[in-house]
Amino acid sequence: MEGRRAAGIILGPEWKDTTKLQIALIEAKAKQSQYLIDGKPECAAAFDSTFISTIRTVNPSLAKKLGK
């Protein structure tokens, strides 16, 4: 669920400012990394998978730009 929420933040606005997009991506990565810090690698993997698949499904062109 958290992966979808984080993807929703990325997918919401039209990013005209790449710096703000980069900050949003860093914040999403920080959420995923917290699972690793907490010793929950399976949750980190689920977050990452859901985040990427949501972006690919909703906005394939953005996913390509992000290299996902």
Side-chain angles (χ1 to χ4, degrees), residues 10-22 62 65:
I10 302 300
L11 293 166
E14 184 177 328
W15 297 99
K16 297 183 189 269
D17 184 343
T18 56
T19 303
K20 289 183 180 179
L21 174 58
Q22 289 174 340
L62 178 59
K65 288 178 187 176

Side-chain angles (χ1 to χ4, degrees), residues 60-68:
S61 65
L62 178 59
K64 285 182 183 179
K65 288 178 187 176
L66 297 176
K68 303 288 180 190

Side-chain angles (χ1 to χ4, degrees), residues 16-62:
K16 297 183 189 269
D17 184 343
T18 56
T19 303
K20 289 183 180 179
L21 174 58
Q22 289 174 340
I23 290 169
L25 289 168
I26 290 168
E27 289 172 352
K29 182 63 178 171
K31 289 177 186 177
Q32 186 259 0
S33 294
Q34 188 61 51
Y35 289 114
L36 294 173
I37 292 167
D38 293 342
K40 300 177 181 177
E42 64 284 343
C43 293
F47 178 98
D48 199 39
S49 176
T50 305
F51 177 81
I52 292 168
S53 67
T54 301
I55 291 177
R56 282 183 184 154
T57 301
V58 176
N59 192 337
S61 65
L62 178 59

